[in-house]
Amino acid sequence: MKDRNHSSLSITTMSSLEDLIPIVNKLQDLVFNTIGTDTIDLPQVVVVGSQSCGKSSVLENIVGKDFLPRGTGIVTRRPLILQLINLPSEASSSPDETSSDSVLQTGRRPEEWAEFLHVPGRKFYDFSEVRREIENDTVRIAGNNKGINKQPINLKIFSPHVLNLTLVDLPGLTKIPIGDQPTDIERQTRSLILEYINKPNSIILAVSPANVDLVNSESLKLARQVDPQGRRTIGVLTKLDLMDHGTNAIDILSGRVYPLKLGFIGVVNRSQQDIQINKSLPDALKAEQEFFRTHPAYRNISYRCGTQFLAKSLNNTLMAHIREKLPDIKARLNTLMGQTQQELASYGEPQFAGSENRGILVLQLMTRFATNFIASIDGTSSDISLKELCGGARIYYIYNDVFGTSLNAINPTANLSVLDIRTAIRNSTGPRPSLFVPELAFDLLVKPQIRLLDPPSQRCVELVYEELMKICHNCGGPELSRYPKLQSKIIEVVSDLLRERLGPTSKYVESLIAIQRAYINTKHPNFLGAAAAMSSILSSRQEKEKKAREAQRKLERMEVKKAVFGANGVSDSVPESGGKPSPSLPSSVPGEGESRHHHHHHHARSGSMSMSVSLTEASTNAAAGPSASASKDSFLNYFFSKDQHAQQSAMLSQVNGIKHNSHSSDNLGISNVVSSSGAVTPSDPHRSSHHGRHSDASDDASYLAKEFEQFGIPSSQNEEASLSEREQLESELIRRLISSYFGIVRETIQDQVPKAVMHLLVNFCKETIQNRLVSELYRESLFDELLKEDAALAQERIKCEKMLRTYTEAARIINEVV
Ligand code: GDP
Ligand code: MG
C-alpha cells in the first residue's frame, strides 16, 4: 500500500481538523510572516498513558497517517516529537486555478514527506519507511532490549493536510522493570512525561484503556499533578471494544466518575489483529463509527464518541487557545494596517493615465511647491525645523545679525594713515597755505571710505540668495519626490529665477552705495560739524592732559619727598613751579563734556556748521594763552612718552571692545588718531602693505587689534619730525568727521539694503514663482517625461499595497475565527 494515498484518507478521517487547517495555517502564516513578532503559538499535544494503552494509535488517528510503530509490549521507548508542518497546497498557491486543474497539469498530488533530524537532507515519501526508521533509531539509541531513553526522536511531517502543530508521543508508564530496564524505570518515565506535560501550553491527552479500572489510570494521576483543575486535559478512553461483556464506560464518558473540563472521549483503535491484516485507517474509522452507532450503551452518545469527535475536541481546544491570543493579534494587526495605510498614502495615488489628469497633477505639484516656497519664507510652513533657523527666520537673521554686525565692524578710518590725510589736505589746499580745514579734503577722503560698505552689502545679497536656493531644494515634499524628473525640473526653473534676480539685486545694492558716494551731504542734521568735532578733540585732549598732569604732580611730589628725606637740598622741587605741565587749554571750550547730540542741534539750528571753521580760531579759542607751546609739549609728551604707553594700549584694547554705535564712532576716531599718530612713520615698510589689506578687509577686528598693538610702540622722533601740531589736529579732525559721516551713511545702507533685497529678490521670486513654473513646465509635450515616477518608489507602493491586502485578509480571517 502506497502512503501517497493518505492525503485523501486524512480528508475524510480528519474532517474537523481539516476545516481548521486552512484557517489556522493562514492565520499562523500571517502572524509569522507579516506581523513577524508573536506567533499564535499553538499548543503541543502530549500523549500520556500506561504502556500499550493505545497512545500511538490515538496519535496516528489524529494525524491521519500510518507511520508509528505499534504493537504489544513496549514499543515507544523514546519520546517522539512530531512536528507537523503545513505546506501550502498547490491549489492555494495559485488561486486562479482550481485544485483539480493543477492536479491535471502536474499529473501528481501535492507532495507530502517526512524528515528526521538525525537523517539530515533525506525526505521520506514512504510512510512505512518512516515507521522503520523510528524503529531503527529507537534501537540505535535505546538498545535492543526494552530499555527506554530520554533522547527524543525529532520527526517533521510536511503536508498540505496538516496543521502546524507539535505532537509528542511518549513511552508508556510501567511498574515492573523488564529486559534492560533499570529498577527505577517507573520514576524515570514519570519524570520524562512530566517534563513534557508541565508546559502550560501543552494539551494533555490522558489515555486510559477502558478494560482497566480507571482508578488505576496512571495518565490521569500524572495529568492531575500538572493540571489540577483539568483545564487542559482531555481524557481518552481506548479499547472500549475490549471491555467485559455486560460492562460499559458510560459513567466515565458522561463525566460522572472523573471530572475533566474537556471531558472523556471513548475511541476504538485498530486491534493488534487489525494491524496484522493491514486494516486501513479509513476502514478502521468506519468500523469505529459503526461500533458506537450500534452499541446498546453508546448509541445515544455516539455523536460524542470516537476518533472524529476527539479530533473535533482537540480542534475546539486549539481554537479556544487561538481566540485567547486573538485580541493581541487583532490589536497588532490594526496598528499595522493603520501604519501601512499611512505609508501608502504618503506614496500618493498611482500614476494618472489620462492626459487631462496628468496636467492637473503637474499643476497641483507645482502649486504645492510654490506654496511651500512662499510658506517657508513667510514662516508659515507646517514643518519648520526646530534645530536651526530656516526660511524667513534665517533671512531676518542675515539682515539683522550677519549684515548688521559686519557693517558695524567696519572701522571707517582704519585704512587712512596720517600721511594719507595730510596729503589729502595738502592737495586740496593747493599751493596756497590755508587756514581752514578744506572741505575738499574731507570730501576726497570720505568718498572712498563709503566703498567699505560694498562688500558686506553684496555678501548680504548673496546670503539671502543662498538661503532662497536652500529653501527651493527643501520644499518639494514627499509627493513631489515621487516624480524625480518633475522635481529636478521645478528646482531648475526656480533656481534660474533666483539667479536671474541676483544680478539686478546686487546691481541695485551697488548703486545704493554709489548714490551715497555721489554727493556728500555735510548739511545732514546728524552730521558732526567741524566746530563740534574740534571742541570734542580738544576736550578729550584736555582730559588726557589733566591726567598726565596729575601723574606728573605725583611724580614730582615723590621727588620732593625724596629730596626732603634724602641727602640733598630742598628748593628746586616745589610742585607746579617746574613749568613743565601746565593747564594749556581753557576749560571754557564750548560744549565741553556735553553730548554730541546737543551740538548737532545747536549747529543745525544756527546754521553755522561749516567745513571751513577756522582752525586758528578754534585753537585760539581752545589753546589761547601763553601756555600754548607748553601745552604742545605736554600734549606730545602725553602721546609719545614711553610712560604713557601702557595707558595708551589699554585704551586701544578698550576701543576694540567697544560696541559700535553712533556715539562710539567718535571714540574710534580718537583711538585711530592715537594709534596712527603714535606709531605710524612714513618709512615704515609694513605700512603700505597693511594699508592695502585694510581696504579689503576693513572689518576684521582682530586684525585691527594686532595692527594697533604693532603700531602702538612709540617712535616719537619720526612722528614729531613729520607732523606739525596743526597737522595732527587737522588729521584728527578729519578722522572724526569721516567717522561721523560714515556712521550716517552706514545707517542708511543698513536700512536700505534689506529693503532692496526683499523687494528685488525675495518678494519678486515669491510673486513670480507660480507663473514662472507654469509658463516653463506646463506643456502637454512635457507631461510624459515629467511624470515618470520614481521606480523605487513605485515598487515601495506596490509592496505596501500588497502588505495592506495581506493585513486586511488577516483581519477577515480573524473575524471568521471569532
Ligand atoms: P501504546 O503503547 O500506548 O503506544 O499503545 P499502541 O498504540 O502501541 O497499542 C498497543 C496495542 O493495543 C496495539 O496492539 C494496538 O493494536 C492495541 N490497541 C490499541 N488501541 C486499541 C483499541 O481501542 N482496541 C483494540 N482492540 N486494540 C487496541
Ligand atoms: Mg506507543
Side-chain angles (χ1 to χ4, degrees):
M1 166 154 274
K2 285 282 161 212
D3 283 303
R4 303 270 170 109
N5 296 333
H6 287 169
S7 56
S8 60
L9 323 176
S10 55
I11 288 170
T12 52
T13 58
M14 306 303 295
S15 60
S16 58
L17 264 189
E18 284 281 328
D19 291 343
L20 188 63
I21 288 167
I23 297 172
V24 175
N25 282 331
K26 244 192 251 175
L27 199 57
Q28 239 174 0
D29 185 49
L30 289 166
V31 173
F32 267 126
N33 300 325
T34 56
I35 297 180
T37 49
D38 288 334
T39 69
I40 295 177
D41 187 21
L42 285 179
Q44 279 192 349
V45 179
V46 185
V47 193
V48 186
S50 52
Q51 187 186 305
S52 289
C53 68
K55 297 182 297 298
S56 299
S57 302
V58 168
L59 205 54
E60 232 177 21
N61 284 359
I62 291 170
V63 179
K65 289 223 178 304
D66 283 306
F67 66 100
L68 291 177
R70 274 168 293 119
T72 51
I74 179 154
V75 179
T76 309
R77 297 189 287 136
R78 286 172 66 189
L80 177 79
I81 298 174
L82 177 61
Q83 249 181 297
L84 305 181
I85 293 153
N86 179 262
L87 292 177
S89 66
E90 280 173 33
S92 70
S93 66
S94 51
D96 297 341
E97 301 167 13
T98 66
S99 55
S100 61
D101 277 349
S102 74
V103 169
L104 282 176
Q105 278 167 10
T106 55
R108 60 182 173 89
R109 291 175 182 284
E111 284 185 348
E112 293 179 285
W113 72 90
E115 284 177 22
F116 287 97
L117 187 69
H118 66 272
V119 193
R122 183 172 161 198
K123 289 178 178 174
F124 291 76
Y125 292 96
D126 184 344
F127 279 80
S128 57
E129 267 182 49
V130 173
R131 178 183 298 142
R132 218 168 300 136
E133 181 56 38
I134 293 171
E135 285 166 352
N136 289 343
D137 205 60
T138 302
V139 170
R140 190 170 66 86
I141 300 294
N144 231 332
N145 195 4
K146 317 294 182 200
I148 67 158
N149 195 293
K150 272 183 80 146
Q151 192 183 325
I153 297 173
N154 284 283
L155 174 63
K156 288 182 179 176
I157 294 179
F158 298 84
S159 166
H161 306 289
V162 296
L163 198 57
N164 288 318
L165 190 64
T166 302
L167 303 162
V168 184
D169 191 13
L170 292 171
L173 282 161
T174 50
K175 295 275 178 199
I176 298 140
I178 48 164
D180 288 350
Q181 290 177 344
T183 47
D184 65 338
I185 178 73
E186 193 194 349
R187 199 190 53 77
Q188 275 191 24
T189 320
R190 196 179 295 275
S191 78
L192 177 64
I193 294 168
L194 283 172
E195 198 178 295
Y196 284 89
I197 62 175
N198 239 330
K199 290 175 189 158
N201 199 33
S202 63
I203 294 173
I204 305 164
L205 288 187
V207 180
S208 315
N211 55 354
V212 176
D213 199 332
L214 197 66
V215 186
N216 297 322
S217 170
E218 293 297 331
S219 63
L220 289 174
K221 273 188 215 161
L222 274 172
R224 194 162 46 204
Q225 281 185 32
V226 293
D227 177 32
Q229 318 248 279
R231 285 177 204 273
R232 53 187 179 95
T233 305
I234 298 178
V236 181
L237 214 54
T238 58
K239 306 193 182 181
L240 284 173
D241 59 320
L242 296 184
M243 286 183 84
D244 276 347
H245 282 292
T247 63
N248 63 53
I250 274 289
D251 282 354
I252 297 170
L253 295 177
S254 307
R256 289 194 282 269
V257 179
Y258 192 92
L260 279 179
K261 290 236 165 52
L262 300 171
F264 277 89
I265 296 161
V267 297
V268 177
N269 298 315
R270 280 171 291 181
S271 66
Q272 189 57 33
Q273 196 189 350
D274 292 336
I275 290 163
Q276 266 146 18
I277 63 165
N278 256 339
K279 192 173 185 175
S280 74
L281 237 167
D283 286 350
L285 287 167
K286 252 179 230 149
E288 187 193 25
Q289 264 181 327
E290 197 61 21
F291 172 83
F292 287 112
R293 215 161 44 76
T294 55
H295 196 281
Y298 308 125
R299 211 166 33 208
N300 293 332
I301 57 157
S302 67
Y303 69 95
R304 53 178 176 90
C305 293
T307 302
Q308 268 198 40
F309 186 74
L310 173 61
K312 197 169 182 163
S313 298
L314 200 54
N315 178 351
N316 289 340
T317 309
L318 292 176
M319 273 314 209
H321 176 82
I322 291 165
R323 263 187 224 109
E324 214 172 89
K325 293 237 163 187
L326 229 46
D328 288 349
I329 295 171
K330 256 185 177 172
R332 177 90 190 110
L333 205 56
N334 273 332
T335 312
L336 283 168
M337 272 164 88
Q339 282 170 351
T340 314
Q341 249 153 4
Q342 229 168 14
E343 191 187 338
L344 192 61
S346 78
Y347 297 140
E349 294 296 313
Q351 209 158 338
F352 286 97
S355 56
E356 246 172 80
N357 288 337
R358 286 180 323 175
I360 290 168
L361 180 62
V362 169
L363 208 56
Q364 264 177 2
L365 291 170
M366 290 192 311
T367 306
R368 209 163 295 162
F369 185 94
T371 311
N372 287 350
F373 184 80
I374 293 166
S376 300
I377 293 170
D378 293 346
T380 54
S381 174
S382 55
D383 46 27
I384 283 178
S385 167
L386 300 172
K387 294 205 180 72
E388 50 167 14
L389 279 180
C390 60
R394 168 104 190 117
I395 291 173
Y396 278 115
Y397 175 77
I398 292 168
Y399 292 154
N400 295 327
D401 289 53
V402 181
F403 182 51
T405 307
S406 66
L407 283 188
N408 284 329
I410 298 173
N411 181 334
T413 60
N415 60 346
L416 286 180
S417 72
V418 183
L419 284 176
D420 290 337
I421 295 170
R422 194 182 62 181
T423 308
I425 293 169
R426 282 182 185 167
N427 282 343
S428 55
T429 49
R432 181 180 57 87
S434 171
L435 289 175
F436 303 109
V437 174
E439 195 161 346
L440 210 56
F442 168 73
D443 213 87
L444 205 68
L445 287 164
V446 82
K447 275 181 179 172
Q449 295 312 96
I450 290 171
R451 272 219 182 89
L452 293 175
L453 296 167
D454 221 20
S457 302
Q458 290 302 334
R459 186 74 196 122
C460 174
V461 177
E462 282 164 19
L463 283 174
V464 174
Y465 167 77
E466 282 162 19
E467 186 56 32
L468 291 176
M469 274 295 198
K470 237 190 260 170
I471 292 171
C472 157
H473 277 90
N474 287 332
C475 60
E479 306 100 330
L480 194 56
S481 60
R482 270 176 72 196
Y483 306 103
K485 203 75 206 176
L486 180 62
Q487 183 173 34
S488 69
K489 268 286 176 204
I490 288 178
I491 289 173
E492 198 182 304
V493 170
V494 178
S495 301
D496 283 350
L497 173 65
L498 291 172
R499 213 169 14 250
E500 268 173 46
R501 297 309 300 167
L502 183 60
T505 309
S506 74
K507 275 250 165 56
Y508 186 85
V509 165
E510 195 184 315
S511 73
L512 276 180
I513 291 158
I515 285 165
Q516 292 298 326
R517 278 205 322 275
Y519 173 62
I520 304 303
N521 177 20
T522 53
K523 295 276 187 284
H524 193 284
N526 292 343
F527 182 54
L528 181 71
M534 196 62 218
S535 69
S536 98
I537 292 169
L538 293 176
S539 67
S540 63
R541 280 191 179 189
Q542 233 177 4
E543 189 61 32
K544 282 163 205 157
E545 222 171 309
K546 217 167 98 194
K547 276 187 192 156
R549 218 164 37 231
E550 271 161 17
Q552 183 69 33
R553 257 189 224 131
K554 230 181 187 174
L555 202 82
E556 279 169 6
R557 256 185 235 117
M558 271 159 69
E559 271 168 17
V560 169
K561 276 183 189 165
K562 233 190 250 165
V564 169
F565 300 106
N568 264 0
V570 192
S571 65
D572 63 342
S573 53
V574 179
E576 311 226 14
S577 70
K580 262 206 163 174
S582 61
S584 53
L585 302 170
S587 58
S588 60
V589 172
E592 184 204 347
E594 288 179 55
S595 82
R596 212 180 81 210
H597 290 291
H598 179 90
H599 287 291
H600 297 164
H601 293 299
H602 169 73
H603 289 297
R605 239 178 283 122
S606 65
S608 69
M609 194 203 70
S610 163
M611 279 311 302
S612 45
V613 169
S614 162
L615 236 192
T616 36
E617 191 182 66
S619 37
T620 13
N621 250 356
S627 53
S629 67
S631 103
K632 182 195 167 185
D633 279 348
S634 64
F635 172 69
L636 291 177
N637 274 350
Y638 173 72
F639 275 107
F640 307 127
S641 78
K642 286 190 163 46
D643 297 46
Q644 298 300 325
H645 178 223
Q647 193 180 340
Q648 183 184 334
S649 45
M651 200 167 84
L652 288 172
S653 58
Q654 188 192 344
V655 164
N656 288 330
I658 282 170
K659 282 200 180 142
H660 300 278
N661 54 40
S662 55
H663 288 273
S664 65
S665 63
D666 265 356
N667 295 341
L668 271 178
I670 295 166
S671 69
N672 287 331
V673 172
V674 169
S675 66
S676 25
S677 60
V680 172
T681 60
S683 56
D684 192 334
H686 299 294
R687 239 238 115 243
S688 55
S689 66
H690 285 304
H691 186 244
R693 253 198 279 165
H694 260 297
S695 41
D696 290 333
S698 57
D699 54 346
D700 191 336
S702 68
Y703 171 72
L704 283 179
K706 267 188 210 143
E707 173 112 322
F708 283 140
E709 220 140 89
Q710 186 184 338
F711 295 138
I713 299 158
S715 51
S716 54
Q717 333 78 298
N718 287 341
E719 217 32 69
E720 249 175 311
S722 60
L723 285 177
S724 70
E725 167 75 345
R726 175 181 167 154
E727 279 170 333
Q728 292 263 342
L729 271 172
E730 277 176 346
S731 98
E732 202 176 329
L733 182 64
I734 293 262
R735 259 177 220 285
R736 292 210 173 199
L737 294 173
I738 289 173
S739 288
S740 167
Y741 194 80
F742 189 88
I744 293 163
V745 176
R746 166 159 49 199
E747 223 165 77
T748 310
I749 291 301
Q750 190 164 1
D751 176 58
Q752 294 284 305
V753 168
K755 288 174 180 169
V757 173
M758 215 57 194
H759 176 62
L760 295 170
L761 183 63
V762 181
N763 291 348
F764 188 95
C765 290
K766 264 168 66 179
E767 280 154 22
T768 51
I769 179 171
Q770 170 87 12
N771 279 345
R772 177 66 69 96
L773 284 172
V774 169
S775 67
E776 292 284 323
L777 298 178
Y778 191 74
R779 299 212 192 107
E780 188 82 45
S781 55
L782 290 176
F783 292 165
D784 260 341
E785 181 62 18
L786 291 178
L787 288 181
K788 270 212 180 100
E789 198 178 34
D790 182 44
L793 196 129
Q795 208 59 42
E796 277 301 305
R797 188 181 47 234
I798 289 166
K799 215 173 93 186
C800 202
E801 278 170 346
K802 206 171 148 191
M803 218 130 87
L804 193 61
R805 270 202 303 276
T806 313
Y807 293 146
T808 313
E809 174 70 5
R812 198 186 57 73
I813 291 169
I814 284 177
N815 288 332
E816 254 172 43
V817 172
V818 176

